[in-house]
Amino acid sequence: MQSGTQSRLEVNDSTVLDNDRSILIKGLAGQGKSTLLRKLLSNNAKKYSRLPVFYELKNYTGGTLELAISKSLSHYGVNISEYALKKLFADSNVKLYLDAFDEVKPEFRIDLLDEIRRFINSFNCHVICTSRPDTAIDSLSELRTFSVCELTEQQIFGIIKKTATDEEKCDELCGALKRSPLHTKKDSILKSPILVVLFCISYNVGEDIPNTLSQFYSNIFNTVFHRHDNIKGKVYRERHWNDNRRIYRELFDCLCFICLREGLNGFSHEKLVIFVSIALKHINEDKSIAEKTLRELSSITNLIIEDGFNEYRFIHKSIQEFFAASFIISLQHDKKIAFYKKCFNDYSFYTTFHNTLFFLEELDYYNFHEHGFIPAITNFLSLSSQYIKNDNYVIPPSVKEIFLNDIFIRVKFTTFKAGHKESYEIEKTNFTFDKSDFYPSLFSNLFTFSLDFMKIELTDKELISLIRENGNSSEGDWCKLSIRKILDFKRLPESIALEALRLSIDVLIRRRYNKAVDKINNRKDSLNSTDYFNF
């Protein structure tokens, strides 16, 4: 669905998304962004004989995109220089597919944004990029944005039909889903293809459908460990620890955390063996059997698979994120508190574990809120009261100054002359918070959400005047325009921006914060007032 519209576009065998030269496709974990991107690539190659270039952005480590793509292609035996790629991308008959901006390490994201912007503005080739929502790439105004829709009931049953091992299993799965209160024609817990597939694998006849996403992911390990016949028929697999699922689960949890902490979803065989040996040491097992253990984890669970020569990856990043959450729950209390504090105070660390926190908020509710979320809100708003009410808090002056001065758009203009007539071409970005790395994650989340409530229209003439007022009289230079500068120019009160910020606090925080405070207080009261909990 194109952003700002309600019109749906179905991707079929002829869809190419060729009307726009630069496109962003956003979607949640497991919605099929990478699969859609490959489908669009295939359609373009067949329909237009256009040269497709596919690059996984998780491999980007700085420098020009041309150099990064050149290195990537060389791994597949295609040797083409950075200079040759520059020439190639100047051709409009080339289409570049950039997969998973959200998987780029945080320290390289700003450089990559500049590279993508340069690519779009410098070359004639078409660009399509994918990402999870709420990443820095949202600030690129050059991209036309599409969002992946949730599955319809017809699509859900279609995936079940293709995934189920036989017709009887298919009928049972569909019947169980129809009976579940968590599924209706208009809304279902199975919102993405990965969840439908996990449901098909983990559901057994007569069982209830899991109520939450966490239950789905928790069940999947037991399923692939004990009931592999759901997919491939009954197979006996020799194991070092026989049927001791606990050891394999602890090992897998730890491995997922280590890989996620390193910012990796795919890795070489050698690197993965090192990670497995670290995980073995953590659970007090012999690290010398790392090679054998890796083979077992890969063959028994199929949650880590070989992906080409000497390369491994998790079948889906959400698998890695959930089991990393499971590992964090098992940590010593002081380590767990330190983890939550770092997540809510270190933006780079937060971006690494953002989706893991989604699971932890459910699985480790009290620790998540007591040691992470509540202290972060209390510090952000300098709260003196235990609850947030409409009239009991003010936005601290320091937060106001950051919001008004450090969020800005970039603008530049070019003049075209024809005789005595002049015309202008304006280039501008969306609002962006470049200093997000220096502040707790809460700042970026609230500020970004606030911008949706703050509508300030600027004509091209007004933008040019603003640029010149700020000392950028030369053409072609980017000028930063903060919210405060724009409001001053328009003679608008700062209260417009601050009201948007207050509204975002009410929508995103107030009710959730007060509910968490209530739950934690109730539990403390219960522990203090009941003899059963006195030791």
Side-chain angles (χ1 to χ4, degrees):
M1 181 183 291
Q2 184 177 325
S3 294
T5 74
Q6 291 298 313
S7 59
R8 292 171 178 252
L9 173 69
E10 182 179 346
V11 176
N12 53 37
D13 289 341
S14 61
T15 307
V16 291
L17 293 184
D18 214 45
N19 294 330
D20 298 285
R21 205 168 64 79
S22 50
I23 289 172
L24 171 65
I25 299 175
K26 296 198 296 185
L28 301 172
Q31 277 198 297
K33 299 180 295 296
S34 297
T35 303
L36 277 171
L37 198 63
R38 286 167 169 82
K39 180 65 174 175
L40 291 169
L41 182 152
S42 172
N43 288 349
N44 266 280
K46 288 186 291 186
K47 188 171 182 179
Y48 289 109
S49 299
R50 178 179 281 130
L51 179 65
V53 180
F54 187 90
Y55 180 63
E56 292 181 297
L57 291 173
K58 67 182 180 183
N59 298 318
Y60 179 78
T61 55
T64 67
L65 263 176
E66 295 94 326
L67 179 60
I69 293 169
S70 174
K71 289 179 180 178
S72 177
L73 290 172
S74 68
H75 291 314
Y76 299 98
V78 180
N79 295 313
I80 182 168
S81 69
E82 179 182 5
Y83 175 77
L85 280 172
K86 286 182 186 291
K87 292 289 187 183
L88 192 67
F89 290 132
D91 189 342
S92 61
N93 209 34
V94 176
K95 198 149 191 170
L96 177 62
Y97 298 85
L98 302 174
D99 191 30
F101 179 88
D102 54 283
E103 293 183 12
V104 179
K105 288 188 175 180
E107 60 265 33
F108 300 123
R109 289 185 183 180
I110 297 300
D111 289 345
L112 180 57
L113 274 181
D114 291 337
E115 277 298 295
I116 294 174
R117 183 184 291 114
R118 176 184 67 82
F119 232 80
I120 294 169
N121 294 323
S122 301
F123 296 126
N124 293 320
C125 69
H126 291 220
V127 178
I128 300 183
C129 185
T130 65
S131 178
R132 289 187 184 181
D134 303 321
T135 61
I137 199 169
D138 289 345
S139 68
L140 286 189
S141 59
E142 291 90 343
L143 295 166
R144 177 71 62 84
T145 302
F146 290 83
S147 296
V148 182
C149 299
E150 294 176 358
L151 295 175
T152 63
E153 185 178 61
Q154 183 180 359
Q155 290 170 328
I156 291 171
F157 290 146
I159 295 173
I160 291 174
K161 186 175 181 180
K162 288 182 177 293
T163 307
T165 51
D166 54 54
E167 190 172 339
E168 184 180 354
K169 177 81 172 181
C170 174
D171 291 341
E172 174 61 31
L173 289 168
C174 292
L177 192 56
K178 288 176 181 177
R179 293 190 299 271
S180 170
L182 294 172
H183 172 85
T184 65
K185 284 184 177 293
K186 293 185 177 180
D187 188 32
S188 175
I189 192 173
L190 305 181
K191 297 180 185 296
S192 64
I194 189 68
L195 291 176
V196 181
V197 173
L198 291 180
F199 166 64
C200 293
I201 294 170
S202 61
Y203 178 82
N204 283 291
V205 176
E207 290 183 347
D208 291 331
I209 295 174
N211 293 324
T212 66
L213 290 181
S214 296
Q215 287 180 14
F216 266 109
Y217 283 91
S218 183
N219 288 352
I220 197 66
F221 190 89
N222 296 342
T223 299
V224 296
F225 192 86
H226 288 304
R227 299 190 291 273
H228 208 263
D229 55 303
N230 278 347
I231 319 173
K232 296 187 175 180
K234 292 184 179 179
V235 179
Y236 173 75
R237 300 180 188 276
E238 185 180 352
R239 299 161 177 162
H240 182 78
W241 292 286
N242 297 319
D243 284 335
N244 193 334
R245 182 184 58 82
R246 178 189 60 80
I247 293 180
Y248 285 100
R249 175 64 188 268
E250 288 179 0
L251 180 65
F252 189 72
D253 287 352
C254 185
L255 178 63
C256 287
F257 176 81
I258 293 168
C259 295
L260 192 59
R261 180 75 192 266
E262 287 287 321
L264 298 174
N265 181 48
F267 10 70
S268 67
H269 177 81
E270 293 76 18
K271 176 73 78 173
L272 192 53
V273 169
I274 292 172
F275 291 161
V276 171
S277 67
I278 296 171
L280 283 166
K281 184 179 179 182
H282 175 75
I283 65 171
N284 293 312
E285 295 291 340
D286 183 5
K287 65 179 185 179
S288 67
I289 61 169
E291 185 88 40
K292 178 183 179 183
T293 304
L294 171 58
R295 286 197 302 270
E296 290 186 4
L297 281 175
S298 178
S299 63
I300 295 169
T301 69
N302 281 300
L303 298 177
I304 297 177
I305 59 174
E306 287 192 65
D307 186 26
F309 176 70
N310 199 40
E311 290 289 322
Y312 288 79
R313 65 175 175 84
F314 289 95
I315 59 167
H316 197 269
K317 194 177 180 185
S318 59
I319 293 285
Q320 182 184 9
E321 291 161 345
F322 171 79
F323 289 99
S326 179
F327 173 78
I328 292 159
I329 292 170
S330 72
L331 289 173
Q332 293 175 210
H333 191 62
D334 59 332
K335 290 284 187 184
K336 194 188 298 187
I337 292 174
F339 171 82
Y340 284 127
K341 284 183 177 178
K342 192 171 179 66
C343 276
F344 282 92
N345 289 288
D346 183 327
Y347 183 76
S348 178
F349 195 77
Y350 168 82
T351 57
T352 299
F353 289 100
H354 171 62
N355 293 293
T356 297
L357 288 170
F358 169 80
F359 291 112
L360 285 169
E361 184 174 1
E362 177 192 334
L363 295 171
D364 195 29
Y365 183 91
Y366 292 99
N367 286 311
F368 173 92
H369 286 92
E370 184 172 5
H371 303 297
F373 180 73
I374 290 176
I377 303 303
T378 303
N379 292 335
F380 180 81
L381 294 176
S382 302
L383 291 175
S384 56
S385 172
Q386 198 173 33
Y387 294 95
I388 300 176
K389 299 177 182 176
N390 283 327
D391 56 355
N392 77 332
Y393 78 93
V394 294
I395 300 171
S398 59
V399 174
K400 292 180 185 177
E401 290 303 304
I402 295 167
F403 185 59
L404 293 171
N405 293 325
D406 291 339
I407 293 181
F408 49 78
I409 57 173
R410 287 188 177 90
V411 188
K412 69 178 179 179
F413 74 95
T414 306
T415 305
F416 297 97
K417 295 184 178 180
H420 298 291
K421 294 183 177 181
E422 284 188 351
S423 61
Y424 301 94
E425 181 182 84
I426 297 287
E427 289 183 56
K428 67 175 181 177
T429 68
N430 295 327
F431 279 105
T432 186
F433 183 34
D434 276 4
K435 293 184 179 180
S436 59
D437 286 1
F438 301 102
Y439 295 96
S441 58
L442 184 63
F443 281 68
S444 181
N445 294 341
L446 279 173
F447 290 171
T448 301
F449 194 76
S450 300
L451 296 173
D452 290 336
F453 298 109
M454 191 180 63
K455 304 297 181 184
I456 306 174
E457 299 295 333
L458 287 165
T459 66
D460 287 353
K461 284 187 177 181
E462 286 177 322
L463 284 170
I464 292 170
S465 297
L466 256 171
I467 292 170
R468 287 172 171 160
E469 275 188 18
N470 284 275
N472 289 60
S473 56
S474 58
E475 296 182 30
D477 293 334
W478 287 101
C479 175
K480 290 183 178 181
L481 300 176
S482 68
I483 291 175
R484 173 166 275 150
K485 285 179 180 178
I486 293 171
L487 290 174
D488 288 346
F489 176 82
K490 298 280 287 186
R491 293 187 173 86
L492 295 171
E494 291 180 354
S495 59
I496 289 177
L498 298 179
E499 187 57 35
L501 183 54
R502 180 177 281 273
L503 189 56
S504 71
I505 292 170
D506 286 343
V507 172
L508 291 183
I509 289 176
R510 186 156 63 92
R511 184 178 177 187
R512 179 181 167 198
Y513 175 90
N514 291 341
K515 181 179 179 181
V517 170
D518 270 340
K519 282 194 169 187
I520 289 170
N521 287 340
N522 289 340
R523 191 169 78 153
K524 286 180 178 177
D525 290 343
S526 172
L527 290 173
N528 292 330
S529 63
T530 305
D531 289 339
Y532 289 114
F533 304 125
N534 292 325
F535 307 111

